[in-house]
Amino acid sequence: QVQLVESGGGLVQAGGSLRLSCAVSGRTFSSYSMGWFRQAPGKERELVAAINWSGGTTWYADSVKGRSTISRDNGKNTVFLQMNSLKPEDTAVYYCAADPQRSGAHMGAYWGQGTQVTVSS
């Protein structure tokens, strides 16, 4: 069974930074595509960043491009999302997702429970 546990969310002022982490159980983590999604109140869940199994390919939504970096450590079964220059519109619950077959917005075989990010103005 694959379990994902996010951490690192919190309350930060606009312009600040946060580093989200997602620890994944299971021996096949290194073969999964990974992604970070977010869902703000009243809005649909959206993909903000994704990374392929090796870490060699990444993708970012326009809304976070240039301000965020997704990375992974396959030795530690962990994926990260470094977010800088945070804006109030980044406020959302952030979810980690893993998928052995699909990538990008279509991934979602496994989900974490989410971590709240709140950016104050």
Side-chain angles (χ1 to χ4, degrees), residues 23-75:
V24 183
S25 65
R27 290 174 290 181
T28 56
F29 169 78
S30 60
S31 67
Y32 294 161
S33 293
M34 300 295 300
W36 285 97
F37 291 74
R38 70 185 181 187
Q39 187 166 22
K43 295 187 177 181
E44 293 187 353
R45 187 176 298 187
E46 63 173 347
L47 177 67
V48 295
I51 190 167
N52 75 330
W53 66 274
S54 69
T57 301
T58 56
W59 176 92
Y60 299 93
D62 287 343
S63 58
V64 303
K65 194 176 296 182
R67 301 187 294 120
S68 298
T69 303
I70 188 170
S71 61
R72 65 190 296 161
D73 185 337
N74 285 345

Coordinates of all heavy atoms in Angstrom, one line a residue, residues 23-75:
A23 N 6.4 12.7 1.9 CA 7.1 11.4 2.1 C 6.2 10.3 1.7 O 5.0 10.2 2.0 CB 7.4 11.2 3.6
V24 N 6.8 9.4 0.9 CA 6.0 8.3 0.2 C 6.5 7.0 0.7 O 7.7 6.7 0.7 CB 6.2 8.4 -1.3 CG1 5.3 7.4 -2.0 CG2 5.8 9.8 -1.8
S25 N 5.6 6.2 1.1 CA 5.9 4.8 1.5 C 5.9 3.9 0.3 O 5.3 4.2 -0.7 CB 5.0 4.3 2.6 OG 3.7 4.2 2.0
G26 N 6.6 2.8 0.4 CA 6.6 1.9 -0.8 C 7.9 1.8 -1.5 O 8.7 2.8 -1.5
R27 N 8.2 0.7 -2.0 CA 9.5 0.4 -2.6 C 9.7 0.9 -4.0 O 10.8 0.8 -4.6 CB 9.9 -1.1 -2.4 CG 10.1 -1.5 -1.0 CD 10.3 -3.0 -0.9 NE 9.0 -3.7 -1.2 CZ 8.9 -5.0 -1.2 NH1 10.0 -5.8 -1.0 NH2 7.8 -5.6 -1.4
T28 N 8.6 1.3 -4.6 CA 8.7 1.7 -6.1 C 8.5 3.2 -6.3 O 8.2 3.6 -7.4 CB 7.6 0.9 -6.9 OG1 6.3 1.2 -6.3 CG2 7.8 -0.5 -6.8
F29 N 8.8 4.0 -5.2 CA 8.7 5.4 -5.4 C 9.5 5.9 -6.5 O 9.0 6.8 -7.3 CB 9.2 6.1 -4.1 CG 9.4 7.6 -4.2 CD1 8.3 8.4 -4.1 CD2 10.6 8.2 -4.4 CE1 8.4 9.8 -4.2 CE2 10.8 9.5 -4.5 CZ 9.7 10.3 -4.4
S30 N 10.7 5.4 -6.8 CA 11.5 6.0 -7.8 C 10.9 5.8 -9.2 O 11.4 6.4 -10.2 CB 12.9 5.3 -7.8 OG 12.8 3.9 -7.9
S31 N 9.9 5.0 -9.4 CA 9.3 4.8 -10.7 C 8.1 5.7 -10.9 O 7.5 5.7 -12.0 CB 8.9 3.3 -10.9 OG 7.9 2.9 -10.0
Y32 N 7.6 6.4 -9.8 CA 6.4 7.2 -9.9 C 6.6 8.6 -10.5 O 7.6 9.2 -10.1 CB 5.8 7.3 -8.5 CG 5.3 6.1 -7.9 CD1 5.1 6.1 -6.5 CD2 5.0 5.0 -8.6 CE1 4.6 4.9 -5.9 CE2 4.6 3.8 -8.0 CZ 4.4 3.8 -6.6 OH 3.9 2.7 -6.0
S33 N 5.7 9.0 -11.3 CA 5.6 10.5 -11.5 C 5.0 11.1 -10.2 O 4.1 10.5 -9.6 CB 4.7 10.8 -12.7 OG 5.3 10.3 -13.9
M34 N 5.4 12.3 -9.9 CA 4.9 13.0 -8.7 C 4.4 14.4 -9.1 O 5.0 15.0 -10.0 CB 6.1 13.1 -7.7 CG 6.6 11.8 -7.2 SD 5.5 10.8 -6.3 CE 5.0 11.8 -4.9
G35 N 3.5 14.8 -8.3 CA 3.0 16.2 -8.6 C 2.5 16.8 -7.3 O 2.1 16.1 -6.3
W36 N 2.4 18.1 -7.4 CA 1.8 18.9 -6.3 C 0.6 19.6 -6.9 O 0.7 20.3 -8.0 CB 2.7 20.0 -5.8 CG 3.8 19.4 -4.9 CD1 5.1 19.1 -5.2 CD2 3.7 19.1 -3.5 NE1 5.7 18.6 -4.1 CE2 4.9 18.6 -3.0 CE3 2.6 19.3 -2.5 CZ2 5.1 18.2 -1.7 CZ3 2.9 18.9 -1.2 CH2 4.1 18.4 -0.8
F37 N -0.6 19.4 -6.3 CA -1.8 20.1 -6.7 C -2.2 21.0 -5.6 O -1.7 20.9 -4.4 CB -2.9 19.0 -6.9 CG -2.8 18.1 -8.1 CD1 -1.8 17.1 -8.1 CD2 -3.6 18.3 -9.2 CE1 -1.7 16.3 -9.2 CE2 -3.5 17.4 -10.3 CZ -2.5 16.4 -10.3
R38 N -3.1 21.9 -5.9 CA -3.7 22.8 -4.8 C -5.1 23.0 -5.1 O -5.6 23.0 -6.2 CB -2.9 24.1 -4.7 CG -3.1 25.0 -5.8 CD -2.2 26.3 -5.6 NE -2.3 27.2 -6.7 CZ -1.6 28.3 -6.9 NH1 -0.6 28.6 -6.0 NH2 -1.8 29.2 -7.8
Q39 N -5.8 23.3 -4.0 CA -7.3 23.6 -4.1 C -7.6 24.7 -3.1 O -7.4 24.6 -1.9 CB -8.1 22.4 -3.8 CG -9.6 22.6 -4.1 CD -10.4 21.3 -4.1 OE1 -10.0 20.3 -3.6 NE2 -11.6 21.4 -4.7
A40 N -8.0 25.8 -3.7 CA -8.4 27.0 -2.9 C -9.9 26.9 -2.7 O -10.6 26.2 -3.5 CB -8.1 28.3 -3.6
P41 N -10.4 27.5 -1.7 CA -11.9 27.5 -1.4 C -12.7 27.9 -2.6 O -12.4 29.0 -3.2 CB -12.0 28.5 -0.2 CG -10.7 28.5 0.5 CD -9.7 28.3 -0.6
G42 N -13.7 27.1 -2.9 CA -14.5 27.4 -4.0 C -13.9 27.2 -5.4 O -14.6 27.5 -6.4
K43 N -12.7 26.7 -5.5 CA -12.1 26.4 -6.8 C -11.8 25.0 -7.0 O -11.7 24.2 -6.0 CB -10.8 27.3 -6.9 CG -11.0 28.8 -6.9 CD -9.8 29.5 -7.2 CE -10.0 31.0 -7.2 NZ -8.8 31.8 -7.5
E44 N -11.6 24.6 -8.2 CA -11.2 23.2 -8.5 C -9.7 23.0 -8.2 O -8.9 23.9 -8.2 CB -11.5 22.9 -10.0 CG -12.9 22.9 -10.4 CD -13.2 22.5 -11.8 OE1 -12.2 22.3 -12.5 OE2 -14.3 22.3 -12.2
R45 N -9.4 21.7 -7.9 CA -8.1 21.3 -7.7 C -7.3 21.5 -9.0 O -7.7 21.1 -10.1 CB -8.0 19.9 -7.2 CG -6.6 19.4 -6.8 CD -6.7 18.0 -6.3 NE -7.5 17.8 -5.1 CZ -7.6 16.7 -4.4 NH1 -6.9 15.7 -4.8 NH2 -8.4 16.7 -3.3
E46 N -6.1 22.1 -8.9 CA -5.2 22.3 -10.0 C -3.8 21.8 -9.8 O -3.3 21.9 -8.7 CB -5.2 23.8 -10.4 CG -4.6 24.7 -9.3 CD -4.4 26.1 -9.7 OE1 -4.5 26.4 -10.9 OE2 -4.1 27.0 -8.8
L47 N -3.2 21.4 -10.9 CA -1.8 20.9 -10.8 C -0.9 22.2 -10.8 O -1.1 23.0 -11.7 CB -1.5 20.0 -12.0 CG 0.0 19.6 -12.1 CD1 0.3 18.6 -11.0 CD2 0.2 18.9 -13.5
V48 N 0.0 22.3 -9.9 CA 0.9 23.4 -9.9 C 2.4 23.0 -10.3 O 3.1 23.8 -10.8 CB 1.0 24.1 -8.5 CG1 -0.4 24.8 -8.3 CG2 1.3 23.2 -7.4
A49 N 2.7 21.8 -10.0 CA 4.1 21.3 -10.4 C 4.1 19.8 -10.5 O 3.4 19.1 -9.8 CB 5.1 21.8 -9.4
A50 N 5.0 19.3 -11.4 CA 5.1 17.9 -11.6 C 6.5 17.6 -11.9 O 7.3 18.4 -12.5 CB 4.2 17.4 -12.7
I51 N 6.9 16.3 -11.6 CA 8.2 15.9 -11.9 C 8.2 14.4 -12.3 O 7.4 13.6 -11.8 CB 9.1 16.1 -10.6 CG1 10.6 15.8 -10.9 CG2 8.6 15.2 -9.4 CD1 11.5 16.4 -9.8
N52 N 9.1 14.0 -13.2 CA 9.0 12.6 -13.7 C 9.9 11.8 -12.7 O 10.4 12.2 -11.7 CB 9.5 12.5 -15.1 CG 11.1 12.7 -15.2 OD1 11.7 13.4 -14.4 ND2 11.6 12.1 -16.2
W53 N 9.9 10.5 -13.0 CA 10.5 9.5 -12.1 C 12.0 9.8 -11.8 O 12.4 9.6 -10.6 CB 10.4 8.1 -12.7 CG 11.3 7.9 -13.9 CD1 10.9 8.2 -15.2 CD2 12.6 7.4 -13.9 NE1 12.0 7.9 -16.0 CE2 13.0 7.4 -15.3 CE3 13.5 7.0 -13.0 CZ2 14.3 7.0 -15.7 CZ3 14.8 6.5 -13.3 CH2 15.1 6.5 -14.7
S54 N 12.7 10.3 -12.7 CA 14.1 10.6 -12.5 C 14.4 12.0 -12.0 O 15.6 12.2 -11.5 CB 14.9 10.4 -13.8 OG 14.6 11.4 -14.7
G55 N 13.4 12.9 -12.1 CA 13.7 14.2 -11.7 C 14.2 15.1 -12.9 O 14.5 16.3 -12.7
G56 N 14.4 14.4 -14.0 CA 15.0 15.1 -15.2 C 14.0 16.0 -15.9 O 14.4 16.9 -16.7
T57 N 12.7 15.8 -15.7 CA 11.7 16.6 -16.4 C 10.8 17.2 -15.3 O 10.2 16.5 -14.5 CB 10.9 15.7 -17.4 OG1 11.8 15.2 -18.3 CG2 9.9 16.6 -18.1
T58 N 10.6 18.5 -15.4 CA 9.6 19.1 -14.5 C 8.7 20.0 -15.3 O 8.9 20.4 -16.5 CB 10.4 20.0 -13.5 OG1 11.2 21.0 -14.2 CG2 11.2 19.2 -12.6
W59 N 7.6 20.3 -14.7 CA 6.5 21.2 -15.3 C 6.0 22.1 -14.2 O 5.8 21.6 -13.1 CB 5.4 20.3 -15.9 CG 4.3 21.1 -16.5 CD1 4.2 21.5 -17.8 CD2 3.1 21.6 -15.8 NE1 3.0 22.2 -17.9 CE2 2.4 22.3 -16.7 CE3 2.7 21.5 -14.5 CZ2 1.2 22.9 -16.4 CZ3 1.5 22.1 -14.2 CH2 0.7 22.8 -15.1
Y60 N 5.6 23.3 -14.6 CA 5.0 24.2 -13.6 C 3.8 24.9 -14.3 O 3.9 25.3 -15.5 CB 6.1 25.3 -13.2 CG 7.3 24.7 -12.5 CD1 8.4 24.4 -13.2 CD2 7.2 24.5 -11.2 CE1 9.5 23.8 -12.6 CE2 8.3 23.9 -10.5 CZ 9.5 23.6 -11.2 OH 10.6 23.0 -10.6
A61 N 2.8 25.2 -13.5 CA 1.8 26.1 -13.9 C 2.3 27.5 -14.0 O 3.2 27.9 -13.3 CB 0.6 26.0 -12.9
D62 N 1.7 28.2 -14.9 CA 2.1 29.6 -15.1 C 2.0 30.4 -13.8 O 2.8 31.3 -13.6 CB 1.3 30.3 -16.2 CG 1.6 29.8 -17.6 OD1 2.7 29.1 -17.8 OD2 0.8 29.9 -18.5
S63 N 1.1 30.1 -13.0 CA 0.9 30.8 -11.8 C 2.0 30.7 -10.8 O 2.1 31.6 -9.9 CB -0.5 30.4 -11.1 OG -0.4 29.0 -10.8
V64 N 2.8 29.7 -10.9 CA 3.9 29.5 -9.9 C 5.3 29.5 -10.6 O 6.3 29.4 -9.9 CB 3.7 28.2 -9.1 CG1 2.4 28.2 -8.3 CG2 3.9 27.0 -9.9
K65 N 5.3 29.5 -11.9 CA 6.6 29.4 -12.7 C 7.5 30.5 -12.3 O 7.0 31.7 -12.2 CB 6.3 29.4 -14.2 CG 7.4 29.0 -15.0 CD 7.0 28.9 -16.5 CE 6.0 27.8 -16.7 NZ 5.6 27.7 -18.2
G66 N 8.7 30.2 -12.1 CA 9.7 31.2 -11.7 C 9.8 31.5 -10.2 O 10.7 32.1 -9.7
R67 N 8.8 31.0 -9.5 CA 8.7 31.2 -8.0 C 8.8 29.9 -7.2 O 9.0 29.9 -6.0 CB 7.4 31.9 -7.6 CG 7.2 33.2 -8.2 CD 6.0 33.9 -7.6 NE 4.7 33.2 -7.9 CZ 3.9 32.8 -7.0 NH1 4.2 32.9 -5.7 NH2 2.8 32.2 -7.4
S68 N 8.6 28.8 -7.9 CA 8.6 27.5 -7.3 C 9.5 26.5 -7.9 O 9.8 26.6 -9.1 CB 7.2 26.9 -7.3 OG 6.3 27.8 -6.6
T69 N 10.0 25.5 -7.1 CA 10.9 24.5 -7.6 C 10.4 23.1 -7.1 O 10.3 23.0 -5.8 CB 12.3 24.7 -7.3 OG1 12.7 26.0 -7.8 CG2 13.2 23.6 -7.9
I70 N 10.1 22.2 -8.0 CA 9.8 20.8 -7.5 C 11.1 20.0 -7.6 O 11.8 20.1 -8.6 CB 8.6 20.2 -8.3 CG1 8.2 18.9 -7.7 CG2 9.0 20.1 -9.8 CD1 6.9 18.4 -8.3
S71 N 11.3 19.1 -6.7 CA 12.5 18.3 -6.7 C 12.1 17.0 -6.0 O 11.1 16.9 -5.3 CB 13.7 18.9 -6.1 OG 13.4 19.2 -4.7
R72 N 13.0 16.0 -6.1 CA 12.7 14.7 -5.5 C 14.0 14.1 -5.0 O 15.1 14.3 -5.7 CB 11.9 13.7 -6.4 CG 12.7 13.3 -7.6 CD 11.7 12.6 -8.6 NE 11.2 11.3 -8.0 CZ 10.1 10.7 -8.4 NH1 9.4 11.2 -9.4 NH2 9.7 9.6 -7.8
D73 N 14.0 13.3 -4.0 CA 15.1 12.5 -3.5 C 14.6 11.1 -3.5 O 13.9 10.6 -2.6 CB 15.5 13.0 -2.1 CG 16.7 12.3 -1.6 OD1 17.1 11.2 -2.1 OD2 17.4 12.9 -0.7
N74 N 15.0 10.3 -4.5 CA 14.5 8.9 -4.6 C 15.1 8.1 -3.5 O 14.6 7.0 -3.2 CB 14.8 8.4 -6.0 CG 13.9 8.9 -7.0 OD1 12.9 9.5 -6.7 ND2 14.3 8.8 -8.3
G75 N 16.3 8.5 -3.0 CA 16.9 7.7 -1.9 C 16.1 7.8 -0.6 O 16.2 7.0 0.3

